[in-house]
Amino acid sequence: MSIKFKLLAAMAALSLVLGACGKAEETASKPKVENKEKSAEKKETEVKEKEKVAYADVFTEATTELEKAKEGKEVDFDKVTDLYNKNFKELVQQRDAEFEDTIDEKITTALSAGKDGSMDKVVVKQLFDKLMQKVFYTSIKHDFTEVTEKWGNTEEVNAELEEAKNYYAILKTTVEKRDAAYGTTLVSVIDGGFSEIETAVKNNDQLGFNLGKQVVDKTLMKTFYLATGALPNGYATKAAAEAGKDAALAKVEQAEGWAFYQSLSSYLSKHAADETAFIEKQFNLESDVKAVDPAAVNKAFVRGFAKIAIDEYGESKELFGEDKAVITGLEGALFIDIIGEDIKTLLGEDAYKTLTEKAQKYVETAKAKDKAAGEAQLNELISTLNTIVEKAK
């Protein structure tokens, strides 16, 4: 049986897996979440011990084994499952409890389906790879939260930052690929964010830490956006381009897009529910890959990120005079940057340059606590962002 035929035959099974996981997210009761949180807390020490294991090495070993599927070779799913259970499962469960997610269920189900043949091995590889990347990303966010809670204890703070950098080291290849594909400098920006964080810790500058944290976080979000919905190299574009040539490969690329998108969907859903649902449907393997519309996916992302920026600026306005107003002001600027190339297409390069200058100026105004100037700048920023939302329809 050809790999193409097997992949097509496995799509129904994969759709059931993803659908079931989605329903689990929607119907999970609060007591269940609380129980998971308690369980995760009990395992915190055990996970810390496992962090002494080189996660990067284990992740490489597991993905290398799964990569054999692309070459038509047999994959040792028992080996991969053992690596996952012994090294990653508790970490994944902790992030599931913290972020009310079901990544452990998704990964475990995918590995089991790969072993029994109900899911194509190539798809399993992509799901495992990209869903684990989400776990490493949310682990960075977790460590940043720990830094805030432990602020003032330099030794513990530095230990958390070291963990965050170790998780980022695993994601760096993904960031480098986006830099190569788009001519961006994401790696440099993230390095700068970590440098700003380290300087802030040395100087006991908590605002500086929070600003550096946002640079790292949102630049990783930009990485995932460039991998999914950006033009011309996102997986929506890749899947659509292959749909009329190789249906099997198109489905694999649709799966990659879906798995990468999981790192963005929860954040987007809080600010742009309609756009989130549309993008999810486009990437979900229950959908016909021939119906994937890269331009529509791209516009949904642009509207979604623009709406997030509007909300960030709205919060900044409410909290003006506090450090949080500066932080949310920077977040607004970073979300504008995420869709920078798209804004250039919609409004032109000059208009984008003016917008970014205003966004940068507002951060300085928020720091200076100049309320009159700040309100005027916010009104201009929000007005332009609303124009972007309209033009991206």
Side-chain angles (χ1 to χ4, degrees):
M1 185 184 291
S2 69
I3 188 171
K4 178 176 179 179
F5 182 80
K6 286 189 287 184
L7 181 55
L8 290 171
M11 286 306 103
L14 179 55
S15 295
L16 287 173
V17 171
L18 301 185
C21 291
K23 289 177 182 176
E25 289 176 345
E26 293 170 6
T27 61
S29 64
K30 288 185 178 180
K32 185 177 180 181
V33 171
E34 290 172 0
N35 287 337
K36 286 183 178 179
E37 288 174 348
K38 290 177 182 178
S39 177
E41 287 172 5
K42 290 179 182 179
K43 293 176 180 177
E44 181 72 35
T45 302
E46 295 174 32
V47 172
K48 291 292 183 183
E49 288 298 314
K50 282 183 169 55
E51 284 174 355
K52 294 177 183 178
V53 176
Y55 277 160
D57 292 342
V58 178
F59 183 60
T60 298
E61 186 176 359
T63 53
T64 298
E65 181 63 33
L66 290 168
E67 190 73 18
K68 291 179 181 178
K70 283 187 176 182
E71 303 167 12
K73 298 179 180 178
E74 286 300 313
V75 175
D76 187 344
F77 279 100
D78 287 335
K79 175 183 178 180
V80 177
T81 301
D82 189 55
L83 288 170
Y84 173 74
N85 287 338
K86 289 182 177 178
N87 297 281
F88 294 127
K89 192 176 184 70
E90 289 175 0
L91 174 70
V92 177
Q93 289 176 335
Q94 280 204 338
R95 296 297 85 83
D96 279 351
E98 183 175 357
F99 293 94
E100 297 187 22
D101 214 334
T102 57
I103 301 300
D104 177 51
E105 181 182 354
K106 290 181 173 75
I107 290 176
T108 300
T109 302
L111 290 175
S112 178
K115 180 180 178 180
D116 67 25
S118 61
M119 185 186 296
D120 189 273
K121 294 179 289 186
V122 180
V123 172
V124 175
K125 188 271 176 184
Q126 298 303 340
L127 293 178
F128 177 85
D129 183 352
K130 276 62 180 184
L131 291 175
M132 279 305 305
Q133 288 194 47
K134 176 178 182 177
V135 173
F136 299 137
Y137 166 57
T138 54
S139 292
I140 293 172
K141 294 168 74 72
H142 167 82
D143 287 336
F144 285 160
T145 299
E146 290 286 296
V147 167
T148 299
E149 294 176 355
K150 297 175 180 178
W151 192 263
N153 187 325
T154 304
E155 184 176 346
E156 290 190 17
V157 164
N158 284 331
E160 297 295 342
L161 289 179
E162 191 62 28
E163 285 179 11
K165 286 190 288 185
N166 287 339
Y167 288 126
Y168 168 62
I170 304 173
L171 298 174
K172 192 171 183 178
T173 299
T174 293
V175 184
E176 290 171 338
K177 287 180 180 178
R178 304 295 83 80
D179 276 345
Y182 291 92
T184 49
T185 57
L186 304 177
V187 170
S188 177
V189 173
I190 292 173
D191 287 345
F194 274 116
S195 178
E196 185 176 350
I197 288 170
E198 290 169 347
T199 299
V201 171
K202 289 178 183 177
N203 297 333
N204 194 30
D205 176 7
Q206 196 160 13
L207 176 58
F209 158 70
N210 280 309
L211 296 177
K213 175 184 76 172
Q214 295 301 336
V215 170
V216 174
D217 184 18
K218 273 54 184 184
T219 307
L220 285 170
M221 290 185 73
K222 182 174 182 177
T223 298
F224 295 126
Y225 165 59
L226 294 180
T228 52
L231 301 174
N233 299 307
Y235 276 107
T237 302
K238 293 178 181 179
E242 288 293 339
K245 304 174 186 177
D246 186 334
L249 178 56
K251 274 295 182 183
V252 171
E253 291 179 335
Q254 189 180 23
E256 288 189 76
W258 178 85
F260 262 135
Y261 177 56
Q262 301 314 298
S263 290
L264 299 171
S265 60
S266 59
Y267 203 113
L268 274 168
S269 67
K270 296 174 184 177
H271 304 266
D274 290 344
E275 286 76 13
T276 303
F278 175 78
I279 298 167
E280 172 70 28
K281 185 176 181 180
Q282 287 277 294
F283 281 126
N284 194 296
L285 289 170
E286 291 180 354
S287 302
D288 182 359
V289 71
K290 291 182 180 179
V292 173
D293 184 340
V297 170
N298 174 253
K299 287 181 179 180
F301 267 115
V302 172
R303 293 195 305 274
F305 283 124
K307 287 180 179 181
I308 294 174
I310 290 169
D311 288 348
E312 297 292 355
Y313 284 132
E315 185 176 357
S316 187
K317 188 174 185 177
E318 291 178 7
L319 300 173
F320 201 88
E322 302 176 19
D323 281 354
K324 184 66 174 174
V326 182
I327 296 166
T328 50
L330 177 62
E331 287 186 88
L334 291 169
F335 280 112
I336 288 171
D337 176 73
I338 287 176
I339 52 173
E341 291 302 313
D342 305 290
I343 296 174
K344 289 179 187 178
T345 300
L346 292 171
L347 303 182
E349 294 220 15
D350 289 343
Y352 174 66
K353 182 180 179 182
T354 299
L355 178 62
T356 57
E357 288 172 350
K358 287 180 179 179
Q360 292 165 5
K361 188 175 182 180
Y362 172 70
V363 174
E364 296 307 314
T365 300
K367 286 181 180 179
K369 301 181 180 180
D370 184 343
K371 189 171 183 179
E375 285 188 359
Q377 290 166 0
L378 282 172
N379 289 338
E380 291 179 1
L381 287 165
I382 291 172
S383 176
T384 302
L385 286 163
N386 278 321
T387 298
I388 291 167
V389 171
E390 288 303 310
K391 284 186 174 291
K393 288 183 178 177

